[in-house]
Short mmCIF file of all heavy atoms in Angstrom, two decimals:
data_model
loop_
_atom_site.label_atom_id
_atom_site.label_comp_id
_atom_site.label_asym_id
_atom_site.label_seq_id
_atom_site.Cartn_x
_atom_site.Cartn_y
_atom_site.Cartn_z
N SER S 151 -0.28 3.31 5.69
CA SER S 151 -1.18 4.44 5.91
C SER S 151 -0.70 5.45 6.94
O SER S 151 -1.03 6.62 6.84
CB SER S 151 -2.56 3.93 6.33
OG SER S 151 -2.53 3.44 7.66
N ASP S 152 0.02 5.01 7.99
CA ASP S 152 0.28 5.87 9.14
C ASP S 152 -1.04 6.45 9.64
O ASP S 152 -1.12 7.61 10.04
CB ASP S 152 1.27 6.98 8.78
CG ASP S 152 1.77 7.76 9.99
OD1 ASP S 152 1.56 7.30 11.13
OD2 ASP S 152 2.36 8.84 9.78
N SER S 153 -2.08 5.63 9.59
CA SER S 153 -3.42 6.08 9.94
C SER S 153 -3.52 6.44 11.41
O SER S 153 -2.98 5.75 12.28
CB SER S 153 -4.44 4.99 9.60
OG SER S 153 -5.76 5.44 9.80
N HIS S 154 -4.23 7.55 11.69
CA HIS S 154 -4.51 8.00 13.04
C HIS S 154 -6.02 8.13 13.21
O HIS S 154 -6.79 7.69 12.37
CB HIS S 154 -3.83 9.35 13.31
CG HIS S 154 -2.36 9.24 13.58
ND1 HIS S 154 -1.47 8.72 12.65
CD2 HIS S 154 -1.62 9.60 14.67
CE1 HIS S 154 -0.24 8.76 13.17
NE2 HIS S 154 -0.31 9.28 14.39
N ASP S 155 -6.41 8.72 14.30
CA ASP S 155 -7.82 8.85 14.64
C ASP S 155 -8.58 9.54 13.50
O ASP S 155 -8.17 10.59 13.01
CB ASP S 155 -7.96 9.65 15.93
CG ASP S 155 -9.33 9.53 16.55
OD1 ASP S 155 -10.15 8.73 16.06
OD2 ASP S 155 -9.59 10.24 17.54
N LEU S 156 -9.69 8.93 13.06
CA LEU S 156 -10.52 9.55 12.03
C LEU S 156 -11.32 10.71 12.65
O LEU S 156 -11.64 10.68 13.83
CB LEU S 156 -11.47 8.50 11.45
CG LEU S 156 -10.79 7.34 10.74
CD1 LEU S 156 -11.83 6.36 10.23
CD2 LEU S 156 -9.92 7.81 9.60
N PRO S 157 -11.66 11.73 11.85
CA PRO S 157 -11.50 11.84 10.40
C PRO S 157 -10.19 12.48 9.97
O PRO S 157 -10.15 13.20 8.96
CB PRO S 157 -12.67 12.74 10.01
CG PRO S 157 -12.82 13.66 11.18
CD PRO S 157 -12.44 12.86 12.40
N GLY S 158 -9.12 12.24 10.68
CA GLY S 158 -7.83 12.80 10.34
C GLY S 158 -7.15 12.05 9.23
O GLY S 158 -7.56 12.09 8.08
N ARG S 159 -6.08 11.31 9.58
CA ARG S 159 -5.31 10.59 8.57
C ARG S 159 -6.01 9.27 8.23
O ARG S 159 -5.98 8.32 9.01
CB ARG S 159 -3.89 10.33 9.07
CG ARG S 159 -3.03 11.57 9.00
CD ARG S 159 -1.61 11.25 9.38
NE ARG S 159 -1.24 11.96 10.60
CZ ARG S 159 -0.11 11.76 11.25
NH1 ARG S 159 0.74 10.85 10.84
NH2 ARG S 159 0.16 12.44 12.34
N LYS S 160 -6.63 9.22 7.08
CA LYS S 160 -7.37 8.04 6.66
C LYS S 160 -6.43 6.99 6.08
O LYS S 160 -5.25 7.23 5.86
CB LYS S 160 -8.44 8.43 5.65
CG LYS S 160 -9.51 9.34 6.22
CD LYS S 160 -10.61 9.61 5.22
CE LYS S 160 -11.69 10.49 5.83
NZ LYS S 160 -12.78 10.77 4.86
N ASN S 161 -6.99 5.82 5.80
CA ASN S 161 -6.18 4.67 5.41
C ASN S 161 -5.59 4.81 4.00
O ASN S 161 -4.39 4.77 3.83
CB ASN S 161 -7.00 3.39 5.52
CG ASN S 161 -6.15 2.17 5.40
OD1 ASN S 161 -5.88 1.69 4.31
ND2 ASN S 161 -5.68 1.65 6.53
N ARG S 162 -6.42 4.91 3.01
CA ARG S 162 -6.02 5.18 1.61
C ARG S 162 -5.12 4.09 1.00
O ARG S 162 -4.40 4.37 0.04
CB ARG S 162 -5.32 6.53 1.51
CG ARG S 162 -6.19 7.72 1.90
CD ARG S 162 -5.50 9.04 1.60
NE ARG S 162 -6.36 10.16 1.90
CZ ARG S 162 -6.39 10.81 3.06
NH1 ARG S 162 -5.57 10.43 4.03
NH2 ARG S 162 -7.20 11.82 3.26
N MET S 163 -5.14 2.88 1.52
CA MET S 163 -4.32 1.83 0.91
C MET S 163 -4.79 1.49 -0.51
O MET S 163 -3.95 1.30 -1.41
CB MET S 163 -4.31 0.58 1.79
CG MET S 163 -3.50 0.71 3.06
SD MET S 163 -1.70 0.84 2.81
CE MET S 163 -1.28 -0.83 2.31
N ARG S 164 -6.10 1.42 -0.71
CA ARG S 164 -6.60 1.07 -2.05
C ARG S 164 -6.26 2.13 -3.09
O ARG S 164 -5.72 1.80 -4.15
CB ARG S 164 -8.10 0.84 -1.99
CG ARG S 164 -8.71 0.47 -3.35
CD ARG S 164 -8.33 -0.94 -3.75
NE ARG S 164 -7.99 -1.03 -5.17
CZ ARG S 164 -7.86 -2.18 -5.83
NH1 ARG S 164 -8.02 -3.33 -5.19
NH2 ARG S 164 -7.53 -2.20 -7.09
N PRO S 165 -6.57 3.42 -2.85
CA PRO S 165 -6.18 4.41 -3.87
C PRO S 165 -4.67 4.51 -4.08
O PRO S 165 -4.22 4.80 -5.19
CB PRO S 165 -6.78 5.73 -3.35
CG PRO S 165 -7.13 5.48 -1.94
CD PRO S 165 -7.39 4.02 -1.80
N ALA S 166 -3.89 4.27 -3.03
CA ALA S 166 -2.43 4.29 -3.21
C ALA S 166 -1.99 3.15 -4.11
O ALA S 166 -1.14 3.34 -5.00
CB ALA S 166 -1.73 4.19 -1.86
N PHE S 167 -2.55 1.96 -3.90
CA PHE S 167 -2.24 0.83 -4.78
C PHE S 167 -2.61 1.16 -6.22
O PHE S 167 -1.83 0.90 -7.15
CB PHE S 167 -2.98 -0.43 -4.33
CG PHE S 167 -2.87 -1.58 -5.29
CD1 PHE S 167 -1.78 -2.43 -5.24
CD2 PHE S 167 -3.85 -1.79 -6.24
CE1 PHE S 167 -1.66 -3.49 -6.14
CE2 PHE S 167 -3.75 -2.86 -7.15
CZ PHE S 167 -2.65 -3.70 -7.09
N ASP S 168 -3.79 1.73 -6.41
CA ASP S 168 -4.24 2.05 -7.77
C ASP S 168 -3.30 3.05 -8.43
O ASP S 168 -2.98 2.92 -9.62
CB ASP S 168 -5.67 2.60 -7.73
CG ASP S 168 -6.70 1.54 -7.37
OD1 ASP S 168 -6.39 0.34 -7.51
OD2 ASP S 168 -7.81 1.91 -6.93
N ARG S 169 -2.86 4.03 -7.68
CA ARG S 169 -1.94 5.04 -8.24
C ARG S 169 -0.59 4.40 -8.57
O ARG S 169 -0.01 4.65 -9.63
CB ARG S 169 -1.76 6.18 -7.24
CG ARG S 169 -0.82 7.29 -7.70
CD ARG S 169 -1.42 8.12 -8.83
NE ARG S 169 -0.51 9.13 -9.28
CZ ARG S 169 -0.40 10.35 -8.75
NH1 ARG S 169 -1.14 10.68 -7.70
NH2 ARG S 169 0.43 11.23 -9.26
N LEU S 170 -0.09 3.58 -7.66
CA LEU S 170 1.19 2.90 -7.91
C LEU S 170 1.10 1.97 -9.11
O LEU S 170 2.00 1.92 -9.95
CB LEU S 170 1.60 2.10 -6.67
CG LEU S 170 2.01 2.91 -5.44
CD1 LEU S 170 2.04 2.03 -4.20
CD2 LEU S 170 3.36 3.58 -5.66
N LYS S 171 0.01 1.26 -9.21
CA LYS S 171 -0.19 0.35 -10.35
C LYS S 171 -0.21 1.12 -11.66
O LYS S 171 0.42 0.70 -12.65
CB LYS S 171 -1.49 -0.43 -10.16
CG LYS S 171 -1.83 -1.35 -11.31
CD LYS S 171 -3.19 -2.00 -11.09
CE LYS S 171 -3.66 -2.76 -12.31
NZ LYS S 171 -5.03 -3.29 -12.13
N ALA S 172 -0.92 2.24 -11.69
CA ALA S 172 -1.01 3.03 -12.91
C ALA S 172 0.33 3.61 -13.31
O ALA S 172 0.67 3.67 -14.50
CB ALA S 172 -2.04 4.15 -12.72
N ASP S 173 1.13 4.03 -12.33
CA ASP S 173 2.39 4.73 -12.62
C ASP S 173 3.60 3.80 -12.77
O ASP S 173 4.52 4.10 -13.52
CB ASP S 173 2.68 5.76 -11.53
CG ASP S 173 1.71 6.93 -11.55
OD1 ASP S 173 0.93 7.04 -12.52
OD2 ASP S 173 1.72 7.72 -10.60
N TYR S 174 3.57 2.66 -12.02
CA TYR S 174 4.78 1.83 -11.96
C TYR S 174 4.53 0.34 -12.22
O TYR S 174 5.49 -0.43 -12.24
CB TYR S 174 5.44 1.98 -10.58
CG TYR S 174 5.69 3.43 -10.21
CD1 TYR S 174 4.87 4.07 -9.30
CD2 TYR S 174 6.72 4.16 -10.80
CE1 TYR S 174 5.07 5.41 -8.96
CE2 TYR S 174 6.93 5.49 -10.48
CZ TYR S 174 6.10 6.11 -9.56
OH TYR S 174 6.30 7.43 -9.24
N GLY S 175 3.29 -0.04 -12.40
CA GLY S 175 2.99 -1.43 -12.70
C GLY S 175 2.48 -2.22 -11.51
O GLY S 175 2.74 -1.88 -10.35
N ARG S 176 1.76 -3.30 -11.80
CA ARG S 176 1.11 -4.11 -10.76
C ARG S 176 2.13 -4.75 -9.82
O ARG S 176 1.91 -4.81 -8.61
CB ARG S 176 0.24 -5.19 -11.40
CG ARG S 176 -0.37 -6.15 -10.38
CD ARG S 176 -1.24 -7.21 -11.03
NE ARG S 176 -2.47 -6.62 -11.52
CZ ARG S 176 -3.56 -6.46 -10.76
NH1 ARG S 176 -3.53 -6.83 -9.48
NH2 ARG S 176 -4.66 -5.94 -11.25
N GLU S 177 3.23 -5.27 -10.36
CA GLU S 177 4.19 -5.99 -9.52
C GLU S 177 4.76 -5.08 -8.43
O GLU S 177 4.82 -5.46 -7.25
CB GLU S 177 5.32 -6.57 -10.36
CG GLU S 177 6.33 -7.37 -9.55
CD GLU S 177 7.41 -8.01 -10.40
OE1 GLU S 177 7.37 -7.87 -11.64
OE2 GLU S 177 8.32 -8.63 -9.82
N MET S 178 5.18 -3.88 -8.82
CA MET S 178 5.72 -2.95 -7.84
C MET S 178 4.65 -2.53 -6.85
O MET S 178 4.90 -2.46 -5.63
CB MET S 178 6.31 -1.73 -8.53
CG MET S 178 6.86 -0.69 -7.58
SD MET S 178 7.72 0.63 -8.48
CE MET S 178 7.82 1.89 -7.21
N ALA S 179 3.45 -2.24 -7.34
CA ALA S 179 2.35 -1.84 -6.46
C ALA S 179 2.06 -2.92 -5.42
O ALA S 179 1.84 -2.64 -4.24
CB ALA S 179 1.11 -1.53 -7.28
N HIS S 180 2.07 -4.18 -5.85
CA HIS S 180 1.82 -5.29 -4.94
C HIS S 180 2.93 -5.41 -3.90
O HIS S 180 2.68 -5.60 -2.71
CB HIS S 180 1.69 -6.59 -5.71
CG HIS S 180 1.54 -7.81 -4.84
ND1 HIS S 180 2.61 -8.57 -4.43
CD2 HIS S 180 0.44 -8.37 -4.28
CE1 HIS S 180 2.18 -9.55 -3.66
NE2 HIS S 180 0.87 -9.46 -3.55
N ASP S 181 4.18 -5.30 -4.33
CA ASP S 181 5.30 -5.41 -3.40
C ASP S 181 5.23 -4.33 -2.32
O ASP S 181 5.46 -4.60 -1.13
CB ASP S 181 6.64 -5.31 -4.13
CG ASP S 181 7.04 -6.60 -4.81
OD1 ASP S 181 6.46 -7.66 -4.49
OD2 ASP S 181 7.94 -6.56 -5.66
N LEU S 182 4.91 -3.11 -2.71
CA LEU S 182 4.93 -2.00 -1.76
C LEU S 182 3.75 -2.02 -0.79
O LEU S 182 3.86 -1.47 0.32
CB LEU S 182 4.94 -0.66 -2.51
CG LEU S 182 6.17 -0.37 -3.38
CD1 LEU S 182 6.11 1.03 -3.95
CD2 LEU S 182 7.46 -0.55 -2.58
N THR S 183 2.64 -2.63 -1.19
CA THR S 183 1.44 -2.62 -0.34
C THR S 183 1.13 -3.98 0.28
O THR S 183 0.23 -4.07 1.12
CB THR S 183 0.22 -2.16 -1.15
OG1 THR S 183 0.03 -3.05 -2.26
CG2 THR S 183 0.39 -0.74 -1.65
N HIS S 184 1.87 -5.01 -0.10
CA HIS S 184 1.59 -6.35 0.44
C HIS S 184 2.85 -7.21 0.53
O HIS S 184 3.22 -7.67 1.60
CB HIS S 184 0.54 -7.07 -0.41
CG HIS S 184 0.21 -8.44 0.09
ND1 HIS S 184 -0.91 -8.70 0.86
CD2 HIS S 184 0.85 -9.63 -0.04
CE1 HIS S 184 -0.93 -9.99 1.17
NE2 HIS S 184 0.12 -10.57 0.63
N GLY S 185 3.49 -7.45 -0.61
CA GLY S 185 4.53 -8.46 -0.70
C GLY S 185 5.69 -8.25 0.25
O GLY S 185 6.11 -9.17 0.95
N ASN S 186 6.23 -7.04 0.30
CA ASN S 186 7.38 -6.79 1.17
C ASN S 186 7.01 -6.90 2.65
O ASN S 186 7.78 -7.42 3.46
CB ASN S 186 7.99 -5.43 0.87
CG ASN S 186 8.71 -5.39 -0.46
OD1 ASN S 186 9.04 -6.44 -1.02
ND2 ASN S 186 8.95 -4.20 -0.97
N ALA S 187 5.83 -6.41 3.00
CA ALA S 187 5.38 -6.52 4.39
C ALA S 187 5.16 -7.98 4.77
O ALA S 187 5.48 -8.40 5.89
CB ALA S 187 4.10 -5.72 4.60
N GLU S 188 4.65 -8.77 3.84
CA GLU S 188 4.48 -10.20 4.12
C GLU S 188 5.83 -10.87 4.32
O GLU S 188 5.99 -11.70 5.24
CB GLU S 188 3.74 -10.87 2.97
CG GLU S 188 3.44 -12.35 3.21
CD GLU S 188 2.60 -12.94 2.10
OE1 GLU S 188 3.00 -12.81 0.92
OE2 GLU S 188 1.55 -13.53 2.41
N ARG S 189 6.82 -10.52 3.50
CA ARG S 189 8.17 -11.07 3.68
C ARG S 189 8.73 -10.70 5.04
O ARG S 189 9.40 -11.50 5.70
CB ARG S 189 9.08 -10.58 2.56
CG ARG S 189 8.70 -11.09 1.17
CD ARG S 189 9.65 -10.58 0.09
NE ARG S 189 9.16 -10.92 -1.23
CZ ARG S 189 8.51 -10.09 -2.04
NH1 ARG S 189 8.33 -8.82 -1.66
NH2 ARG S 189 8.07 -10.49 -3.22
N MET S 190 8.48 -9.47 5.47
CA MET S 190 8.96 -9.03 6.76
C MET S 190 8.31 -9.84 7.89
O MET S 190 9.00 -10.32 8.79
CB MET S 190 8.65 -7.55 6.96
CG MET S 190 9.05 -7.00 8.31
SD MET S 190 8.68 -5.24 8.46
CE MET S 190 6.89 -5.27 8.34
N ILE S 191 7.01 -10.01 7.83
CA ILE S 191 6.30 -10.77 8.87
C ILE S 191 6.81 -12.20 8.92
O ILE S 191 6.96 -12.78 9.99
CB ILE S 191 4.78 -10.73 8.60
CG1 ILE S 191 4.25 -9.30 8.86
CG2 ILE S 191 4.05 -11.74 9.48
CD1 ILE S 191 2.82 -9.09 8.40
N LEU S 192 7.10 -12.78 7.76
CA LEU S 192 7.57 -14.16 7.68
C LEU S 192 9.08 -14.28 7.85
O LEU S 192 9.63 -15.38 7.79
CB LEU S 192 7.16 -14.76 6.34
CG LEU S 192 5.65 -14.89 6.09
CD1 LEU S 192 5.37 -15.40 4.68
CD2 LEU S 192 4.99 -15.80 7.12
N SER S 193 9.75 -13.12 8.04
CA SER S 193 11.22 -13.07 8.16
C SER S 193 11.93 -13.69 6.97
O SER S 193 12.94 -14.38 7.10
CB SER S 193 11.67 -13.77 9.48
OG SER S 193 11.18 -13.07 10.59
#
């Protein structure tokens, strides 16, 4: 999100996932919004 103080830059993770899923598929949408970040946290 690069979210900052509201009402400025809002989170928008859910609509971004929905857009990614519609355009590129669920697997890619999941990786970009969850899976890759989880891999990073777990090293």
Side-chain angles (χ1 to χ4, degrees):
S151 73
D152 190 13
S153 186
H154 283 61
D155 195 7
L156 297 179
R159 284 185 244 173
K160 296 185 178 180
N161 191 273
R162 298 188 177 92
M163 287 292 288
R164 180 73 222 192
F167 172 84
D168 290 340
R169 180 70 182 273
L170 291 165
K171 177 184 171 185
D173 291 350
Y174 307 104
R176 175 180 288 274
E177 182 177 358
M178 178 173 164
H180 176 267
D181 281 344
L182 296 185
T183 59
H184 180 99
N186 289 342
E188 184 175 53
R189 294 181 188 100
M190 177 179 65
I191 290 170
L192 297 175
S193 296

